[in-house]
Amino acid sequence: LSDPGPAGYRRGPMSRICPLLVLALLAGACQPLAVEPESPPEILNNESPGWLTVASGRDIDRLDRLAVAWDVALAEARMAGFARRLAVEGRLLDPLGALDWAAPSPGAYRCRLLRFARDDRRSRVLTAFPEHFCHVGADGDSLFLTKETGTERPFGYLWPDEDPRRLVFLGSVMTGDEGRPPPYGSDPATDVAGIFERVGSLRFRLVIPRFGVGILLAVSELTPAPVQPDE
């Protein structure tokens, strides 16, 4: 995981990470509920994905190996007796389940986390966590995503990718009472990278490989919240 990444990729610090986070979250109650996108957002038409100039070599490598992470996580879950649960989740846990028009509409979302861990007898292979709230906001032409509740709260931007069926999530994780997340790239211990995709009508997922010690894969399902979360 310390490999500097495939040749040809450039790295650099993120120039800024959501200076308007607080204002955007406060404005969330005024944002409309998400609606099914009718056409691909213009930000998905970029030919050169800018996230490659921002992501660390370690995160580029992890995203490049996402297919392997999927294979290992699903195989271990089936061996542990979760085959029926995997089938029930449908496209959410299908590595090839991504659909066109990945970009979500700004607003509040219900988020449900499924986490895959190695079968080492110390942790459950597949764990489902209680539902929580996430928020998608807009900063100019850019979208950002944050988990608003819980002990681990990822925040980051959704970057266009050369594959129009996905966005790349680059951000960091807040674990305490921080009022603002640390900038991506400032601390490898808090950096997080993942893939954001649409897997159904108004159903999205954020897939993060190796999200924590012993974790193979973290998959969050996002669906529009019928009501805004309490402030």
Side-chain angles (χ1 to χ4, degrees):
L1 297 180
S2 61
D3 193 313
Y9 289 129
R10 296 190 295 111
R11 298 185 286 170
M14 183 176 289
S15 59
R16 62 193 182 93
I17 180 132
C18 192
L20 300 179
L21 172 62
V22 176
L23 293 178
L25 292 178
L26 291 177
C30 300
Q31 295 173 340
L33 292 179
V35 296
E36 188 73 14
E38 298 180 355
S39 60
E42 292 184 1
I43 60 172
L44 296 182
N45 294 331
N46 292 352
E47 295 182 358
S48 179
W51 69 269
L52 289 174
T53 67
V54 174
S56 68
R58 184 190 67 168
D59 285 336
I60 290 174
D61 182 62
R62 286 181 175 179
L63 296 183
D64 281 345
R65 299 185 186 187
L66 181 57
V68 176
W70 268 117
D71 288 344
V72 174
L74 295 177
E76 296 230 359
R78 291 189 183 99
M79 291 178 62
F82 290 99
R84 180 176 298 180
R85 176 61 183 272
L86 299 180
V88 168
E89 296 293 348
R91 280 186 177 271
L92 179 66
L93 298 183
D94 179 358
L96 302 179
L99 301 172
D100 291 336
W101 322 144
S105 297
Y109 287 79
R110 292 186 183 276
C111 299
R112 183 169 61 97
L113 174 64
L114 298 173
R115 196 154 69 184
F116 294 83
R118 291 193 178 278
D119 188 5
D120 59 5
R121 297 183 181 182
R122 291 177 298 177
S123 58
R124 186 178 173 87
V125 174
L126 177 58
T127 304
F129 291 85
E131 192 175 75
H132 52 272
F133 280 105
C134 293
H135 177 83
V136 174
D139 180 9
D141 292 332
S142 300
L143 295 174
F144 61 85
L145 169 66
T146 183
K147 179 185 174 185
E148 297 185 314
T149 56
T151 55
E152 294 182 340
R153 304 182 306 283
F155 165 82
Y157 276 99
L158 298 173
W159 292 75
D161 185 58
E162 58 187 357
D163 184 347
R165 295 172 302 174
R166 73 180 200 174
L167 300 172
V168 175
F169 175 82
L170 297 178
S172 56
V173 179
M174 294 182 289
T175 57
D177 298 326
E178 302 100 323
R180 180 175 300 179
Y184 175 82
S186 63
D187 184 355
T190 61
D191 286 350
V192 62
I195 297 297
F196 189 92
E197 299 167 316
R198 187 171 72 89
V199 294
S201 178
L202 299 179
R203 189 185 189 201
F204 303 87
R205 71 181 177 193
L206 174 63
V207 183
I208 300 176
R210 301 204 177 189
F211 185 39
V213 178
I215 304 302
L216 294 169
L217 206 65
V219 182
S220 292
E221 177 192 48
L222 291 84
T223 55
V227 295
Q228 298 292 330
D230 294 335
E231 294 184 3

